Amino acid sequence: MQKLPVYIFTGFLEGGKTTIIQESLNDQNFNSGEKTLLLLCEEGIEELNPSAFWGKNVTIHIIENESDLTQEHLLSITKGKKIDRIIIEYNGMWPLENFFKAMPEGWLINQIMTFFDASTFLNYNANMRQLVFDKIENTQLVVFNRFDESMDKMAFHKVVRGITRRADIVYESAD
C-alpha cells in the first residue's frame, strides 16, 4: 500500500490559504517534481494560477460538496494516477472530522496549517466557536494574516492556547 502524505490548508474565507498554496507550488524548494494532487474544497476570491507552478506536476481536482467527502470518491480521484503527495485547500465551514472519516487507507496527515484573516478572527470565534475550535484543535500552525499593531495579540494567543499548546502561531502584517 502506497503511503501518501497529506497537507491540509484550512481556515475561513480570506484567510490566505490560496495565496500560500500558490506561493508554495511556485517555489522549486517545495515543489521540486513530486506528483501532486491538489484538492480544492472551496473557491474563494483568490484564484490559483497553475501556469506559475514550478514544473507541470500538479493535478487539480475540485470537491464542490461536503457530501463528496467519501472514501470511495477520494479513491476514485486517485485511481490510476501516480501521486506522491496530496495538498488540500479545505473549506473552513466543513468539520475536519468529515475529511478524517473519509480518508482512504494509506493517506497520512503530514501537516495541518490553519489560516485566518486577523480582522475577522475574533468575530468568527465569538459567533462560530465550534468551527474555530475544529480548525485549531489538530493544527501545527496558525497564521493570522493582515495582523496590525492596533490588535491585541494576547486575545488571539489566548484563543489558540485555550485549544492547543502544540501549534506555532504566526502574525503576518498586511504587507
Side-chain angles (χ1 to χ4, degrees):
M1 162 91 32
Q2 181 184 9
K3 304 289 186 201
L4 290 172
V6 176
Y7 299 84
I8 299 175
F9 294 75
T10 191
F12 300 121
L13 285 175
E14 294 293 301
K17 298 179 302 290
T18 303
T19 300
I20 192 67
I21 290 170
Q22 181 74 51
E23 290 173 1
S24 297
L25 292 173
N26 291 357
D27 184 349
Q28 184 178 352
N29 292 319
F30 179 80
N31 188 20
S32 59
E34 299 90 342
K35 296 201 180 306
T36 303
L37 173 62
L38 176 55
L39 297 178
L40 302 177
C41 298
E42 75 176 5
E43 295 181 77
I45 294 170
E46 294 293 320
E47 291 190 23
L48 290 169
N49 177 9
S51 65
F53 294 166
W54 191 89
K56 302 299 174 205
N57 54 335
V58 179
T59 300
I60 298 174
H61 185 87
I62 297 171
I63 298 179
E64 293 184 22
N65 301 305
E66 188 176 5
S67 60
D68 291 333
L69 283 180
T70 65
Q71 190 173 60
E72 297 77 24
H73 184 68
L74 294 174
L75 283 171
S76 73
I77 295 168
T78 59
K79 188 173 184 171
K81 294 183 175 89
K82 295 193 184 302
I83 297 170
D84 298 316
R85 67 179 173 191
I86 299 167
I87 296 174
I88 301 170
E89 182 173 0
Y90 196 75
N91 189 321
M93 301 308 286
W94 298 353
L96 275 166
E97 184 67 24
N98 294 346
F99 175 74
F100 297 150
K101 288 179 183 175
M103 260 183 27
E105 188 176 336
W107 288 29
L108 305 171
I109 302 292
N110 194 48
Q111 188 171 21
I112 301 174
M113 295 155 280
T114 305
F115 298 83
F116 295 107
D117 179 339
S119 67
T120 59
F121 173 74
L122 295 175
N123 191 37
Y124 276 124
N125 187 55
N127 295 300
M128 297 187 297
R129 175 75 173 141
Q130 187 57 42
L131 283 172
V132 170
F133 181 90
D134 175 70
K135 300 307 166 279
I136 295 175
E137 179 181 26
N138 295 302
T139 197
Q140 286 89 27
L141 176 68
V142 176
V143 177
F144 293 108
N145 282 308
R146 299 175 198 92
F147 192 88
D148 67 53
E149 293 305 316
S150 71
M151 297 174 178
D152 179 10
K153 191 180 278 189
M154 191 53 67
F156 292 78
H157 183 86
K158 285 180 180 178
V159 171
V160 175
R161 289 296 173 247
I163 298 169
T164 181
R165 308 223 26 98
R166 295 181 310 238
D168 291 326
I169 304 171
V170 174
Y171 302 91
E172 287 282 329
S173 65
D175 60 355

